Structures are given as structure tokens and as C-alpha cells.
Amino acid sequence: MNKLAKTTLVFLLLLAVAATGYWLGKQDTGYGKQDTGHGIRDTVKSGERKLLYYRNPMGLPDTSPVRKKDAMGMDYVPVYEGEAEPAGQLGISLDKVQKLGVKSEAAAMRELNKTLRATGRIEVDERRTYTIAPKFEGWVEHLYVNTTGQAVSKGQALFDVYSPDLVSAQREHALALQGLASMQNADGDAKKSMQQLVTASAARLHNWDITDAQSATSASDGSSQRVTFRAPVTGIVLEKKAVQGMRFMPGEPLYQIADLASVWAIAEVPEQDIGQVQLGSRTQVTVDAYPDRTFDGRVTFIYPTLDSATRTVQVRMEIANPKGLLKPAMFANALIDAGKSGKVLTVPASAVIDSGTRQVVLVRLAEGRFEPRTVTPGSRSDDYIEILNGVAEGEQVVTSANFLIDAESNLKAALNGMDAKTTGNAAPVSVPADHTGQFSTAQTMQKMVGHQGQGVLDAVNPDGTVSITHEPIKSLGWPGMTMDFILANASLVEGIKPGTAITFELVERKPGEFVITTLQAQHGGH
């Protein structure tokens, strides 16, 4: 009996010890929380890790001392001592990276082959334009080419003229030649004088653009008192002022002919792009009349002045036009090669986020860890941007993460962390709550914590902002009012009509400027 009692007593004693250990374990493990309102005391004895705070699962600049869910119902992620993100960096779990579709590409040395697009017009090559203006007074006796736009060949007869002055000069020249021929046996002085007379009369005719052949014809046919003017080049008649029977004065233009075998395309290049255009750059020109054809050319001149009204500089391109398809005054679209010679450090164009005041890229440091870097962009091509500083060759930059990159607010806390490095601020940690369990306005603004609000979407403004009549927002100390807000992404309001009851979250992007990062219709809202 005594033996049975002793055995029973030992069993009860062991049972009590086990129960006591289990009870003590429950106090020190699991999720036992003792929030005093001034910090977090959660600990995990098994790993001796101290829970610091909970962070937003999507990388938004929002932390919480207690468990919570974001607007999409996702649990906030616990951050333990030693796991806090360094200042200026973003951490995202690997499964979130996969869900977001984050892609990256290495910064590399490339030749930038950029193509500038510009509009312009086809113009006549000024060096191939000819004007027929007789240098003597006379009358138009006969027209061989009598319509504007008519095609002519070099040497083709244009018109005949009669001029008493020209007839006299030709006759004088003919007589001087006859006199010189008849003085073969005369003394040297007489022959010299006659030769001077022949030279002077010939010079007079040459100054009037009368050729030796024309003079010979007139000399051989004394009855001929007309001179025929011929086309100096193959082309088209741009202008015809000559009328049969009209009188003309010296220097009066009667015909204007242009050779269209080569034409100019004058393009208007924006001021910010003109520095990339170089003489000799290859170009391709298209016109609406022949949309399936391209005409190759080269940049031959960059005009030295800028149009103050359009802020453009004219660029002249020379284009071969053997078939005459390009007509003067046609509208043209030009593609101009503007690539730099040599390789430069580049990143994909989709990797650069332009906030308006600076340009930022996300550098992928490791799986799930990113660092925003301010960069200085240089030249651009259609797909790549030159980086002058901020990124080194071989570093991975994020090129695709629809939500993470497009929502500008995702980067704001990290960007502020970059500024904090220069002022000696430490990495952001959890914001302690006051005795009411709410975050004070000063603390919230300092730590870039998201602020929750609800109200009614009044309108989507033409500039992309939204007008919202919201209820009081306690974390900011705002009363209910109607305000305009900037959206982190225009897609936030897709499918939500004005007048719908909504909930939203916003962060302060810079002092006095708040950006909505999430927005959704309330259940049952209209």
C-alpha cells in the first residue's frame, strides 16, 4: 500500500512540474503581447529575437506596432531586430516580388542609336534655281514654252526676242570681223586697232549673255534680227512672266526654272533635341502621297537661328529626286539619326522614374532588396537612356514592376532615407503610439506613415487629380472637407464613378503635398 502511494505521489509531482512548464512556456512563446502603449515587447525566446514593428507587405512607407491588414486584406509583415531595412533601401518578400512581376536588367555600355522624328516640308534646292532675265531692252517675239509648270530640257528653246540695241551690237561686231579680215595686208597699227574694235564688240555681246554661236548665226544671216533664249538646265518652269509681244526692260525676269533632280526637306527640330543632330546624319523622309516609300538623304545644314514662337530650329536635308516624285511644298515626316559615336553607360528607358524634380532608378541589390538611386540622365534613344552618374556598369536595375515602380509613393520613404544619410538620421523604425493608441500628427508626418480616410469621390479632374469630400482624418488632425489630391497611379480610380463612397490611404510626398496610394469603393457604395 505504501509502495502504491509513493508511486501515485511521484506521478502527481511529475504531472505538476509538466503543467507548470507548459504554463510558463505559454507566457514566453507564441504571440503573447504586452503592449504598454509606449512600445512593443513581443519576443521569441527560441531565437532570442525582438519584434520591432510590422511593415506594409507591398513596400509602402507604413509601419505599425500591432498586427494589421492593408487595404487589400494582406497581413503586415513582422520585422525583427537585425532585419530592419537599412536607410534608403526597400525590402520585399520573394513571393511578393514574383507576384509583382519584378524584372531587372544590368546597366551596360551601348551605342545609343536614337531616331528623332520631325515634321517639315519639301522645298526647291536654291542652288538649282535659274532665272532668265535679259540684260538689254527688247520685245518678246515668240514663245516656245508658254505655260507655268512645263518641263523643259537643257538647251530647249524658250522664246525669241527682238532688240534694236542687240541688233546694232551684233551688226557692229560683224562689221568689225569683216574689217579685220580685209586688213590682212595692212600695217601692224591698223590691224591692231581693228582687232581692238572686234574685241570690244564681242565683249559687249558676251556681257549680254549672247554666245558666240548666236553671234555667228546673226552674222551669217543678216536678215535675222531675233535672238533665241534657251533653257540653262533641265527642270520645270516655276514662273513665267513672258507674254508674246510684251516689252521688257534690262534685268526683268521672264522665266524661272528649277532643277528638281535634288530637293530639300526643311524639318522643324525641337530646341531640346537640336544638340543631338549632326551634319551628315542620315535621314529618311516620307510624304503622304507615297506612304509606302521612303526617301533617303543627309543633314546638310543646321540653321543658326531659333523660332521663338515654336521653339524649334530648322534642319535642312538634301534628298535625291530623280523621278520627280517629291514636289515643292509637300508636307514631310523625317526620321533623323541622332546616335552618339562610341559606347556609353545605359539603362532601359523603363527603368528611369522621373518625379519632375529628379530621376530615380531602383537598383536590385539582392533577391527582395532594392535601393533607389538618384541618377543624372544624358542622351536618349528609343529604348535606352545614357546615365552620367548614379549607377555603375553591371548593376541590376528594375525595369518592370507595375505596382511597385509606377506608384511613386512606394519609393518616398526610401528617398527620404537617402536624404537622411546626409543629415545623420538613423534608419526608420516603428512609431510608438501615445496613450490613446493613436499616432501623433508630428510623428506620422516625420515617419511617412500612411493615413487612412474615407469619403465620397466627387470628380476626376482634367489634370489627373481627384476631388474628394472626406470625413475627419484623425491622424492628420484634419476636419471633414473637400480637397483635391494627386494619385500615385491613374489606374486607382478606374471603374469608380463620381459620387461613390470610398476609402483611401495617403502619404505626404513632400511638405504640404499628399498623394493617394490606395483607393477603393466601399462595399455597398454607389
Side-chain angles (χ1 to χ4, degrees):
M1 191 69 176
N2 290 336
K3 184 176 181 180
L4 180 59
K6 289 181 180 180
T7 301
T8 302
L9 181 60
V10 171
F11 175 77
L12 293 175
L13 182 59
L14 292 174
L15 185 61
V17 170
T20 301
Y22 175 78
W23 182 83
L24 291 174
K26 287 290 289 182
Q27 299 301 310
D28 295 333
T29 60
Y31 297 100
K33 288 180 280 289
Q34 297 178 5
D35 189 352
T36 64
H38 302 284
I40 300 176
R41 295 185 179 180
D42 285 357
T43 58
V44 181
K45 291 295 184 178
S46 60
E48 294 298 329
R49 294 191 303 170
K50 180 181 179 181
L51 178 64
L52 299 179
Y53 54 89
Y54 294 88
R55 65 172 176 82
N56 188 284
M58 301 303 293
L60 290 172
D62 183 14
T63 62
S64 172
V66 297
R67 287 180 175 276
K68 63 180 292 188
K69 295 180 181 293
D70 66 2
M72 295 183 291
M74 301 173 65
D75 291 327
Y76 272 48
V77 179
V79 177
Y80 296 98
E81 188 174 24
E83 294 181 350
E85 297 166 5
Q89 294 185 12
L90 299 172
I92 304 176
S93 62
L94 296 182
D95 60 329
K96 299 298 188 301
V97 170
Q98 294 178 351
K99 290 179 181 178
L100 292 172
V102 177
K103 297 180 181 178
S104 62
E105 184 176 329
M109 303 295 291
R110 296 182 179 87
E111 290 185 1
L112 285 182
N113 297 317
K114 180 179 180 181
T115 301
L116 294 178
R117 290 174 170 83
T119 59
R121 62 194 178 279
I122 303 298
E123 291 190 358
V124 174
D125 187 338
E126 295 173 0
R127 300 165 300 182
R128 295 172 175 264
T129 302
Y130 301 85
T131 298
I132 292 89
K135 296 178 180 178
F136 48 84
E137 180 183 355
W139 282 262
V140 177
E141 288 287 314
H142 180 72
L143 292 178
Y144 298 101
V145 176
N146 52 16
T147 59
T148 301
Q150 184 173 340
V152 296
S153 301
K154 184 176 181 178
Q156 179 178 338
L158 299 177
F159 59 99
D160 291 338
V161 300
Y162 165 74
S163 170
D165 293 340
L166 179 60
V167 171
S168 297
Q170 288 177 321
R171 190 59 182 165
E172 289 176 5
H173 183 59
L175 292 174
L177 289 174
Q178 292 176 4
L180 181 63
S182 64
M183 298 180 68
Q184 295 294 328
N185 298 322
D187 57 37
D189 291 340
K191 290 176 65 176
K192 184 177 181 180
S193 298
M194 186 58 67
Q195 181 62 51
Q196 290 176 348
L197 183 60
V198 171
T199 302
S201 60
R204 185 181 183 187
L205 292 173
H206 288 160
N207 290 338
W208 283 350
D209 295 331
I210 302 301
T211 65
D212 292 339
Q214 290 173 314
S215 298
T217 301
S218 299
S220 62
D221 186 3
S223 61
S224 175
Q225 297 182 340
R226 297 181 179 85
V227 172
T228 301
F229 278 77
R230 300 181 181 277
V233 68
T234 298
I236 63 169
V237 178
L238 293 182
E239 187 176 13
K240 184 192 78 68
K241 294 184 177 179
V243 178
Q244 189 161 315
M246 70 172 285
R247 179 187 180 185
F248 58 85
M249 300 303 293
E252 182 177 352
L254 299 181
Y255 282 83
Q256 188 177 50
I257 298 175
D259 179 7
L260 298 183
S262 177
V263 295
W264 288 349
I266 306 297
E268 305 285 342
V269 177
E271 178 181 1
Q272 65 269 21
D273 294 330
I274 195 62
Q276 302 178 51
V277 180
Q278 305 293 329
L279 291 178
S281 296
R282 292 179 300 176
T283 64
Q284 287 188 332
V285 173
T286 59
V287 293
D288 291 341
Y290 311 103
D292 57 337
R293 298 193 60 172
T294 59
F295 301 86
D296 296 330
R298 287 191 177 274
V299 174
T300 57
F301 187 71
I302 301 173
Y303 286 77
T305 57
L306 179 140
D307 189 326
S308 59
T310 61
R311 310 306 301 175
T312 58
V313 176
Q314 289 187 337
V315 173
R316 187 171 74 207
M317 297 161 283
E318 189 170 336
I319 303 170
N321 186 36
K323 296 183 179 180
L325 298 179
L326 298 177
K327 319 294 184 186
M330 276 184 169
F331 283 109
N333 295 307
L335 299 178
I336 306 174
D337 287 348
K340 276 190 175 182
S341 58
K343 293 184 177 181
V344 294
L345 182 62
T346 62
V347 298
S350 60
V352 179
I353 304 171
D354 194 338
S355 68
T357 58
R358 57 180 168 181
Q359 291 75 36
V360 177
V361 300
L362 271 174
V363 177
R364 192 169 194 166
L365 302 176
E367 290 297 330
R369 187 163 298 280
F370 307 89
E371 179 182 9
R373 301 259 189 93
T374 299
V375 296
T376 303
S379 301
R380 298 169 180 255
S381 68
D382 295 336
D383 301 317
Y384 291 94
I385 298 177
E386 177 186 6
I387 300 299
L388 301 179
N389 59 64
V391 175
E393 182 180 2
E395 288 189 301
Q396 294 285 328
V397 295
V398 176
T399 61
S400 174
N402 296 335
F403 180 80
L404 179 63
I405 295 180
D406 291 341
E408 184 177 335
S409 61
N410 291 357
L411 303 177
K412 199 60 187 178
L415 293 176
N416 287 345
M418 294 170 62
D419 296 335
K421 288 181 180 180
T422 62
T423 59
N425 291 340
V429 296
S430 60
V431 182
D434 57 22
H435 66 281
T436 63
Q438 300 294 329
F439 295 102
S440 67
T441 302
Q443 291 169 329
T444 302
M445 293 175 64
Q446 180 180 0
K447 299 302 180 179
M448 291 298 293
V449 175
H451 307 280
Q452 308 295 328
Q454 60 183 10
V456 176
L457 176 65
D458 294 326
V460 179
N461 302 320
D463 60 358
T465 61
V466 292
S467 179
I468 295 176
T469 300
H470 63 78
E471 299 177 3
I473 301 178
K474 294 182 180 179
S475 60
L476 288 171
W478 288 358
M481 67 181 94
T482 299
M483 300 176 63
D484 288 345
F485 292 100
I486 300 172
L487 293 174
N489 192 315
S491 63
L492 293 176
V493 292
E494 289 184 357
I496 302 179
K497 298 181 179 179
T500 302
I502 60 171
T503 59
F504 59 91
E505 183 175 63
L506 68 162
V507 297
E508 189 175 20
R509 182 165 65 179
K510 59 185 178 182
E513 182 177 286
F514 288 84
V515 178
I516 291 181
T517 57
T518 61
L519 186 151
Q520 60 184 3
Q522 292 186 19
H523 295 296
H526 299 283

